[in-house]
Amino acid sequence: MRRLGILLSGRGSNFEAIADSIAAGRLDAEISVVISNRPEAGGLEIARERGLPAVCIPSKGVPRESYDRQLVAELKSRGVELICLAGFMRLLTAEFCREFPMRILNIHPSLLPAFSGLEAQKQALEHGVKISGCTVHFVDEHLDAGPIVLQSAVPVLASDTVETLAARILKEEHRIYSEAIGIVLAGGWRIEGRRVLVD
């Protein structure tokens, strides 16, 4: 059994999808802790309803380095082996990333390296692309830049709004995040350059 730590800032729908995959036996892992930097995050309430440890470490007004030190301490005290960012709206420091090398995953609503950063779906529509999607990648100290584990393509329709495109991408996020976690936990992968190769 592998111990996951979930970091979130909002409603936590990707966290719920991961928890559902574990409950259904599709993913062999356990969630050791759910942490949010925002007390009002809906994901904390969902975690409590599911009987999972839910912790708020408020980030407002806290310097990044000292905030990340608090996060590291909480994750280590819970024995977390793999960290999954599920809508965690903070950039992690290089020090944090060094504490958990190749043990932090993120999901991003575009086919990286296209449309990194905020409002990826809006960027995709503004650029007029015909295909967007989502990416699960390892996290390093650069924004949305770590090696890619899994991607899923989603067509962009002429009728799409930011909301309709985001909703279709989110369905794929829920599907591939658990799949990518399973790949990482199973081992048998290596990184060559930027490529994650599964043996």
Coordinates of all heavy atoms in Angstrom, one line a residue, residues 19-92:
A19 N -9.8 9.3 -4.9 CA -10.4 8.6 -3.7 C -11.4 7.5 -4.2 O -11.5 6.4 -3.7 CB -11.1 9.5 -2.8
D20 N -12.2 7.8 -5.3 CA -13.1 6.9 -5.8 C -12.4 5.7 -6.5 O -12.8 4.5 -6.3 CB -14.0 7.5 -6.9 CG -15.0 8.5 -6.3 OD1 -15.3 8.4 -5.1 OD2 -15.6 9.3 -7.1
S21 N -11.3 6.0 -7.1 CA -10.5 4.9 -7.8 C -9.9 3.9 -6.7 O -9.9 2.7 -6.9 CB -9.3 5.5 -8.6 OG -9.8 6.1 -9.7
I22 N -9.5 4.5 -5.6 CA -9.0 3.7 -4.5 C -10.1 2.8 -3.9 O -10.0 1.6 -3.7 CB -8.3 4.6 -3.4 CG1 -7.0 5.2 -3.9 CG2 -8.0 3.7 -2.1 CD1 -6.5 6.3 -3.0
A23 N -11.3 3.5 -3.6 CA -12.4 2.8 -3.1 C -12.9 1.6 -3.9 O -13.3 0.6 -3.5 CB -13.6 3.8 -2.8
A24 N -12.8 1.8 -5.3 CA -13.3 0.8 -6.2 C -12.2 -0.3 -6.5 O -12.5 -1.2 -7.2 CB -13.6 1.5 -7.5
G25 N -11.0 -0.1 -5.9 CA -10.0 -1.1 -6.0 C -9.2 -1.0 -7.3 O -8.4 -1.9 -7.7
R26 N -9.4 0.1 -8.1 CA -8.7 0.3 -9.3 C -7.3 0.9 -9.0 O -6.4 0.8 -9.9 CB -9.4 1.3 -10.2 CG -10.7 0.8 -10.8 CD -11.3 1.7 -11.8 NE -11.5 3.1 -11.3 CZ -12.7 3.5 -10.8 NH1 -13.7 2.6 -10.6 NH2 -12.8 4.7 -10.4
L27 N -7.1 1.4 -7.9 CA -5.8 2.0 -7.5 C -5.4 1.5 -6.1 O -6.1 1.7 -5.2 CB -5.9 3.6 -7.5 CG -4.6 4.4 -7.2 CD1 -3.5 4.1 -8.2 CD2 -5.0 5.9 -7.2
D28 N -4.2 0.9 -6.1 CA -3.7 0.3 -4.8 C -2.9 1.3 -4.1 O -1.7 1.4 -4.2 CB -2.9 -1.0 -5.2 CG -2.4 -1.7 -3.9 OD1 -3.0 -1.4 -2.8 OD2 -1.4 -2.4 -4.0
A29 N -3.6 2.1 -3.3 CA -2.9 3.2 -2.5 C -3.9 3.6 -1.4 O -5.0 3.2 -1.3 CB -2.7 4.4 -3.4
E30 N -3.4 4.4 -0.5 CA -4.2 5.0 0.5 C -3.9 6.5 0.7 O -2.7 6.9 0.4 CB -4.0 4.3 1.9 CG -2.7 4.4 2.5 CD -2.6 3.9 3.9 OE1 -3.3 4.4 4.8 OE2 -1.8 2.9 4.1
I31 N -4.9 7.3 1.0 CA -4.7 8.7 1.2 C -4.4 9.0 2.6 O -5.2 8.7 3.5 CB -5.9 9.5 0.7 CG1 -6.1 9.3 -0.8 CG2 -5.8 11.0 1.0 CD1 -7.4 9.9 -1.4
S32 N -3.1 9.4 2.9 CA -2.7 9.6 4.3 C -3.2 11.0 4.8 O -3.4 11.1 6.0 CB -1.2 9.6 4.4 OG -0.7 8.3 4.1
V33 N -3.3 11.9 3.9 CA -3.7 13.3 4.4 C -4.1 14.1 3.2 O -3.6 13.9 2.1 CB -2.5 14.0 5.1 CG1 -1.4 14.3 4.2 CG2 -3.0 15.3 5.9
V34 N -5.1 15.0 3.4 CA -5.5 16.0 2.4 C -5.2 17.3 3.0 O -5.7 17.6 4.1 CB -7.0 15.9 2.1 CG1 -7.4 17.0 1.1 CG2 -7.3 14.5 1.5
I35 N -4.4 18.1 2.3 CA -4.0 19.4 2.9 C -4.4 20.5 1.9 O -4.3 20.4 0.7 CB -2.4 19.5 3.0 CG1 -1.9 18.4 4.0 CG2 -2.0 20.9 3.6 CD1 -0.4 18.3 4.0
S36 N -5.0 21.6 2.5 CA -5.3 22.8 1.7 C -4.6 24.0 2.3 O -4.4 24.1 3.5 CB -6.8 23.0 1.7 OG -7.1 24.1 0.9
N37 N -4.4 25.0 1.5 CA -3.8 26.2 1.9 C -5.0 27.2 2.2 O -4.7 28.4 2.6 CB -2.8 26.8 0.9 CG -3.5 27.1 -0.4 OD1 -4.2 26.3 -1.0 ND2 -3.2 28.3 -1.0
R38 N -6.2 26.8 1.9 CA -7.4 27.7 2.0 C -8.4 27.0 2.9 O -8.9 26.0 2.6 CB -8.0 28.0 0.7 CG -7.1 28.8 -0.2 CD -7.8 29.1 -1.6 NE -6.9 29.9 -2.4 CZ -7.1 30.0 -3.7 NH1 -8.1 29.4 -4.3 NH2 -6.3 30.8 -4.5
P39 N -8.7 27.7 4.1 CA -9.7 27.1 5.0 C -11.0 26.8 4.4 O -11.7 25.8 4.8 CB -9.8 28.1 6.1 CG -8.8 29.2 5.9 CD -8.2 29.0 4.5
E40 N -11.4 27.6 3.4 CA -12.8 27.4 2.8 C -12.8 26.4 1.6 O -13.9 26.2 1.0 CB -13.3 28.8 2.2 CG -12.6 29.3 1.0 CD -11.2 30.0 1.3 OE1 -10.7 29.9 2.4 OE2 -10.7 30.5 0.3
A41 N -11.7 25.7 1.3 CA -11.6 24.8 0.2 C -12.6 23.7 0.4 O -12.7 23.0 1.4 CB -10.2 24.2 0.1
G42 N -13.5 23.4 -0.6 CA -14.5 22.4 -0.6 C -13.9 21.0 -0.4 O -14.5 20.1 0.2
G43 N -12.7 20.8 -0.9 CA -12.0 19.5 -0.8 C -11.8 19.0 0.6 O -11.8 17.8 0.9
L44 N -11.6 20.0 1.5 CA -11.4 19.6 2.9 C -12.6 19.0 3.5 O -12.6 18.0 4.2 CB -11.0 20.8 3.8 CG -9.6 21.4 3.6 CD1 -9.4 22.7 4.4 CD2 -8.5 20.4 4.0
E45 N -13.8 19.6 3.2 CA -15.0 19.0 3.7 C -15.3 17.6 3.1 O -15.8 16.7 3.8 CB -16.2 20.0 3.3 CG -17.5 19.8 4.0 CD -17.3 19.7 5.5 OE1 -16.6 20.5 6.2 OE2 -17.9 18.7 6.1
I46 N -15.0 17.5 1.8 CA -15.2 16.2 1.2 C -14.3 15.1 1.9 O -14.7 14.0 2.1 CB -14.9 16.3 -0.3 CG1 -16.0 17.1 -1.0 CG2 -14.8 14.9 -1.0 CD1 -15.6 17.6 -2.4
A47 N -13.1 15.5 2.2 CA -12.1 14.6 2.8 C -12.7 14.2 4.2 O -12.7 13.0 4.5 CB -10.8 15.2 3.0
R48 N -13.2 15.1 4.9 CA -13.7 14.8 6.3 C -14.9 13.9 6.2 O -15.1 13.0 7.0 CB -14.1 16.1 7.0 CG -12.9 17.0 7.4 CD -13.2 18.2 8.2 NE -12.1 19.0 8.4 CZ -12.0 20.2 7.8 NH1 -12.9 20.7 7.0 NH2 -10.8 20.9 7.9
E49 N -15.8 14.2 5.2 CA -17.0 13.3 5.0 C -16.6 11.9 4.7 O -17.3 10.9 5.0 CB -17.8 13.9 3.8 CG -18.7 15.1 4.2 CD -19.2 15.8 3.0 OE1 -19.1 15.3 1.8 OE2 -19.8 16.9 3.2
R50 N -15.4 11.7 4.0 CA -14.9 10.4 3.7 C -14.1 9.8 4.8 O -13.5 8.7 4.6 CB -14.1 10.5 2.4 CG -14.9 10.7 1.1 CD -14.0 10.8 -0.1 NE -14.7 10.9 -1.3 CZ -14.9 9.9 -2.2 NH1 -14.3 8.7 -1.9 NH2 -15.5 10.0 -3.3
G51 N -14.0 10.5 5.9 CA -13.2 10.0 7.0 C -11.7 10.0 6.8 O -11.0 9.3 7.4
L52 N -11.3 10.9 6.0 CA -9.8 11.1 5.7 C -9.2 12.2 6.5 O -9.9 13.2 6.7 CB -9.6 11.3 4.2 CG -10.0 10.2 3.3 CD1 -9.9 10.6 1.8 CD2 -9.0 9.0 3.5
P53 N -8.0 12.1 6.9 CA -7.4 13.2 7.7 C -7.3 14.5 6.8 O -6.8 14.4 5.6 CB -5.9 12.7 8.0 CG -6.0 11.3 7.8 CD -7.1 11.0 6.8
A54 N -7.9 15.6 7.2 CA -7.9 16.8 6.4 C -7.3 17.9 7.3 O -7.7 18.2 8.4 CB -9.4 17.2 6.1
V55 N -6.3 18.6 6.7 CA -5.5 19.6 7.4 C -5.5 20.9 6.6 O -5.3 20.9 5.4 CB -4.1 19.1 7.6 CG1 -3.2 20.2 8.3 CG2 -4.1 17.8 8.5
C56 N -5.8 22.0 7.3 CA -5.6 23.3 6.6 C -4.3 24.0 7.2 O -4.2 24.1 8.4 CB -6.8 24.2 6.9 SG -6.6 25.8 6.0
I57 N -3.4 24.3 6.3 CA -2.2 25.1 6.6 C -2.4 26.4 5.8 O -2.1 26.5 4.7 CB -0.9 24.4 6.3 CG1 -0.9 23.0 6.9 CG2 0.3 25.2 6.7 CD1 0.4 22.2 6.5
P58 N -3.0 27.4 6.4 CA -3.3 28.7 5.7 C -2.0 29.3 5.2 O -1.0 29.4 5.9 CB -4.0 29.6 6.7 CG -4.4 28.7 7.8 CD -3.4 27.5 7.8
S59 N -2.1 29.8 3.9 CA -0.9 30.3 3.3 C -0.9 31.9 3.2 O 0.1 32.5 3.0 CB -0.7 29.8 1.8 OG -1.9 30.2 1.1
K60 N -2.0 32.4 3.5 CA -2.2 33.9 3.4 C -1.1 34.6 4.3 O -1.1 34.4 5.5 CB -3.6 34.3 3.8 CG -4.0 35.6 3.2 CD -5.5 35.9 3.4 CE -5.7 37.3 3.0 NZ -6.6 37.7 2.1
G61 N -0.3 35.4 3.7 CA 0.6 36.2 4.4 C 1.9 35.5 4.9 O 2.7 36.1 5.6
V62 N 2.0 34.2 4.5 CA 3.1 33.4 5.0 C 4.2 33.4 3.9 O 3.8 33.1 2.7 CB 2.7 32.0 5.4 CG1 3.9 31.2 5.9 CG2 1.6 32.0 6.4
P63 N 5.5 33.7 4.2 CA 6.5 33.6 3.1 C 6.6 32.2 2.5 O 6.4 31.2 3.2 CB 7.8 34.0 3.9 CG 7.3 34.7 5.1 CD 6.0 34.1 5.4
R64 N 6.8 32.1 1.2 CA 6.8 30.8 0.5 C 7.7 29.8 1.2 O 7.3 28.6 1.4 CB 7.2 31.0 -0.9 CG 6.1 31.3 -1.8 CD 6.6 31.5 -3.3 NE 7.1 30.3 -3.8 CZ 7.8 30.2 -4.9 NH1 8.2 31.3 -5.6 NH2 8.2 29.1 -5.4
E65 N 8.9 30.2 1.5 CA 9.9 29.2 2.1 C 9.4 28.6 3.4 O 9.4 27.4 3.6 CB 11.3 29.8 2.3 CG 12.1 30.0 1.0 CD 11.6 31.1 0.1 OE1 10.8 31.9 0.6 OE2 11.9 31.1 -1.1
S66 N 8.9 29.5 4.3 CA 8.4 29.0 5.6 C 7.1 28.2 5.4 O 6.9 27.2 6.1 CB 8.3 30.1 6.6 OG 7.4 31.1 6.2
Y67 N 6.3 28.6 4.5 CA 5.1 27.8 4.2 C 5.4 26.4 3.8 O 4.9 25.4 4.3 CB 4.2 28.5 3.2 CG 2.9 27.7 3.0 CD1 1.8 27.9 3.9 CD2 2.7 26.8 2.0 CE1 0.7 27.2 3.8 CE2 1.5 26.1 1.9 CZ 0.5 26.3 2.8 OH -0.6 25.5 2.7
D68 N 6.3 26.3 2.8 CA 6.7 25.0 2.3 C 7.4 24.1 3.3 O 7.2 22.9 3.3 CB 7.6 25.2 1.0 CG 6.8 25.5 -0.2 OD1 5.6 25.8 -0.1 OD2 7.4 25.4 -1.3
R69 N 8.1 24.8 4.3 CA 8.7 24.0 5.4 C 7.6 23.3 6.2 O 7.7 22.2 6.7 CB 9.6 24.8 6.2 CG 11.0 25.0 5.6 CD 12.0 25.5 6.6 NE 11.7 26.9 7.0 CZ 12.2 28.0 6.4 NH1 12.9 27.9 5.3 NH2 11.9 29.2 6.8
Q70 N 6.5 24.1 6.5 CA 5.4 23.6 7.2 C 4.7 22.4 6.5 O 4.4 21.4 7.1 CB 4.3 24.6 7.5 CG 4.7 25.8 8.4 CD 3.6 26.8 8.5 OE1 2.4 26.4 8.9 NE2 3.8 28.0 8.1
L71 N 4.6 22.6 5.2 CA 4.0 21.5 4.3 C 4.9 20.2 4.4 O 4.4 19.1 4.6 CB 4.0 21.9 2.9 CG 2.7 22.5 2.3 CD1 2.9 22.7 0.8 CD2 1.5 21.7 2.6
V72 N 6.2 20.4 4.2 CA 7.1 19.2 4.3 C 7.0 18.5 5.6 O 6.9 17.3 5.6 CB 8.6 19.7 4.0 CG1 9.6 18.6 4.4 CG2 8.8 20.1 2.6
A73 N 7.0 19.3 6.7 CA 6.9 18.6 8.0 C 5.6 17.8 8.2 O 5.6 16.7 8.7 CB 7.0 19.7 9.1
E74 N 4.5 18.4 7.7 CA 3.2 17.7 7.8 C 3.2 16.4 7.0 O 2.7 15.4 7.4 CB 2.0 18.7 7.4 CG 0.6 18.1 7.5 CD 0.2 17.8 9.0 OE1 0.5 18.6 9.8 OE2 -0.4 16.8 9.2
L75 N 3.6 16.5 5.7 CA 3.7 15.4 4.8 C 4.6 14.3 5.4 O 4.2 13.1 5.3 CB 4.1 15.8 3.4 CG 3.1 16.7 2.7 CD1 3.8 17.4 1.5 CD2 1.9 15.9 2.1
K76 N 5.7 14.7 5.9 CA 6.6 13.6 6.4 C 6.1 13.0 7.7 O 6.2 11.8 7.9 CB 8.0 14.3 6.6 CG 8.7 14.6 5.3 CD 10.2 14.9 5.5 CE 10.9 14.8 4.1 NZ 12.3 15.1 4.2
S77 N 5.4 13.8 8.5 CA 4.8 13.2 9.7 C 3.7 12.2 9.4 O 3.5 11.3 10.2 CB 4.3 14.3 10.6 OG 3.0 14.8 10.1
R78 N 3.2 12.3 8.2 CA 2.1 11.4 7.8 C 2.6 10.2 7.0 O 1.9 9.4 6.5 CB 1.0 12.1 7.0 CG 0.4 13.3 7.7 CD -0.8 12.9 8.5 NE -1.4 14.1 9.1 CZ -2.5 14.1 9.8 NH1 -3.1 12.9 10.0 NH2 -2.9 15.2 10.4
G79 N 4.0 10.2 6.8 CA 4.6 9.1 6.0 C 4.2 9.1 4.6 O 4.2 8.0 3.9
V80 N 3.9 10.3 4.0 CA 3.5 10.3 2.6 C 4.7 10.0 1.7 O 5.8 10.4 1.8 CB 3.0 11.8 2.3 CG1 2.9 12.0 0.8 CG2 1.7 12.0 3.0
E81 N 4.3 9.1 0.7 CA 5.3 8.6 -0.3 C 5.2 9.3 -1.6 O 6.2 9.4 -2.4 CB 5.2 7.1 -0.4 CG 5.6 6.4 0.9 CD 5.2 4.9 0.9 OE1 4.0 4.7 1.2 OE2 6.0 4.1 0.5
L82 N 4.0 9.7 -2.0 CA 3.7 10.3 -3.3 C 2.8 11.5 -3.0 O 1.7 11.3 -2.4 CB 3.2 9.3 -4.3 CG 3.0 9.9 -5.7 CD1 4.3 10.2 -6.4 CD2 2.2 8.9 -6.6
I83 N 3.1 12.7 -3.5 CA 2.3 13.8 -3.4 C 1.6 14.1 -4.7 O 2.2 14.1 -5.7 CB 3.2 15.1 -3.0 CG1 3.9 14.8 -1.7 CG2 2.4 16.4 -3.0 CD1 5.1 15.7 -1.4
C84 N 0.2 14.3 -4.6 CA -0.6 14.6 -5.7 C -1.2 16.0 -5.6 O -2.0 16.2 -4.7 CB -1.7 13.5 -5.9 SG -1.0 11.8 -6.0
L85 N -0.8 16.9 -6.5 CA -1.4 18.2 -6.5 C -2.8 18.1 -7.2 O -2.8 17.6 -8.4 CB -0.5 19.2 -7.2 CG 1.0 19.2 -6.7 CD1 1.7 20.4 -7.4 CD2 1.0 19.4 -5.2
A86 N -3.8 18.5 -6.6 CA -5.2 18.5 -7.2 C -5.8 19.9 -7.1 O -6.6 20.1 -6.3 CB -6.0 17.4 -6.5
G87 N -5.3 20.7 -8.0 CA -5.8 22.1 -8.0 C -5.2 22.9 -6.8 O -5.9 23.6 -6.1
F88 N -3.9 22.7 -6.6 CA -3.2 23.4 -5.5 C -2.6 24.6 -6.2 O -1.7 24.6 -7.0 CB -2.1 22.5 -4.9 CG -1.4 23.1 -3.7 CD1 -2.1 23.3 -2.6 CD2 0.0 23.3 -3.7 CE1 -1.5 23.8 -1.4 CE2 0.6 23.8 -2.6 CZ -0.2 24.1 -1.4
M89 N -3.1 25.8 -5.8 CA -2.8 27.0 -6.5 C -1.6 27.8 -5.9 O -1.7 29.0 -5.7 CB -4.1 28.0 -6.5 CG -5.3 27.3 -7.1 SD -5.1 26.5 -8.7 CE -5.0 27.9 -9.8
R90 N -0.6 27.0 -5.7 CA 0.7 27.7 -5.2 C 1.8 27.1 -6.0 O 1.8 25.9 -6.3 CB 0.9 27.4 -3.7 CG 0.0 28.2 -2.8 CD 0.3 27.9 -1.4 NE 1.6 28.3 -1.0 CZ 2.0 29.5 -0.7 NH1 1.2 30.5 -0.7 NH2 3.3 29.7 -0.3
L91 N 2.8 27.9 -6.2 CA 4.1 27.4 -6.8 C 4.9 26.9 -5.7 O 5.1 27.5 -4.7 CB 4.8 28.5 -7.5 CG 4.5 28.8 -9.0 CD1 5.4 30.0 -9.5 CD2 4.9 27.5 -9.8
L92 N 5.4 25.6 -5.8 CA 6.2 25.0 -4.8 C 7.7 25.5 -5.0 O 8.2 25.7 -6.1 CB 6.2 23.5 -4.9 CG 4.8 22.9 -4.6 CD1 4.7 21.5 -5.0 CD2 4.4 23.1 -3.1

